Amino acid sequence: MLPVNSFSILSIISSNRLSGPGAAALQQATLLAETGHNLTFACLPGKNLADRARAAGLQVDTSLSLPRKGELWQLPGDVRQIREMITEKQINLVMVHQTIETATTAVAVGSKVPLIRIFHSGLDKPLGWANRLFFKLFPVVAIATSPAGGRALGRSALTPDGERIILPGAVDSKAFNPEIDGSAMRKELGFKDADPVVGIVSRWKAGRGLGDFLKAFAMAKAKEPRLQALLIGRGEGRQALVEKVASLKLADSVVFCSPEERFREALAVMDMGALMRPGSDGTARAALEMMAIGKPLALMKQGSLADLTGLPDLPATIICNNIEEMADALVSYAGEASLRERYSNNARALIESCHTLAHLSDALGSLCARAIAQKWGIRVR
């Protein structure tokens, strides 16, 4: 039998950003390294992602080009380097996270070592024909980071046994907890004690549903005048959002905040949270972090957000089909402290039941062991 903590693993991500798939890939790689695997993390050069990976104690390689803008002439060099890494480091398993490294690595490894593609989409959008053809031509194991992503992958996500493996979204439930005090920051931001504050965490850019959130907030505020909004994030779309706030006559009720190292404190400022899109890492990480702190959430019924509904007798969030339902949910939360407390407790309980780092670590360990066992026909303990 092969011990599960003796694998040499190469994880490749065509990113240098500590956000979206890059952040999720680093989280997974760190957990695998912490459980004893010899992990090499290959990413694009740059400060954020590579530096954080080094700080986490990972072996970092930034030599691959991984072109994403059509520089196809760079691919043969990447294929050669990947083959060299696999030989020199005696790699047992390769994990890839986006399209360019999937195609490049598939050519490089062929059927020599197991290749796992992690899909970081949290939407229900099915795979296109090109991806479906790719999974027929190459021996790649497709794994999703949410049930919604798994449904989108369809048959491509099924194991030889007909099972669909999901790597759960995970949050550090010790670092994100209901004991975090946001009262000082709440005063700094100008919110009164009696103001019910709804927060939303998202990069300020098009495609994140922030315009629809502001419309829902305006509808809710017309029914509950005390309601205030906190937009947590950063990005190039701030000015457009400021103009949207002004057009809705909400300038006195919407606060923008880029908290950086005070992020957890900013989450604690809010009385309730909202989210319109699951985000690019597919796990709805912002929702998981708010839930871990114990914030009652109103979520649009889109992709992996709808996976966070909880159980019928223990609802963890309010799932909304449209902005009118979102507005009604915010009004309900604002007016009923007992409702907020119930959803707060259920949200935290859902995190602890299946979205902790320990749950993700166990799922990763099992996935890697099974992939290698199926490849070589060996028993893994």
Side-chain angles (χ1 to χ4, degrees), residues 15-25 48-49 203 234 280-281 285:
S15 175
N16 59 8
R17 296 180 59 180
L18 190 61
S19 61
N48 294 333
L49 188 56
R203 185 167 182 83
R234 59 184 177 180
S280 58
D281 74 340
R285 185 170 64 250

Side-chain angles (χ1 to χ4, degrees), residues 246-282:
S247 69
L248 292 170
K249 297 181 171 53
L250 296 173
D252 294 333
S253 303
V254 177
V255 174
F256 291 82
C257 178
S258 300
E260 302 297 339
E261 70 276 2
R262 298 179 71 187
F263 177 67
R264 290 182 297 160
E265 189 179 351
L267 294 186
V269 167
M270 62 181 72
D271 296 291
M272 68 202 84
L275 213 60
M276 313 299 287
R277 303 284 190 273
S280 58
D281 74 340

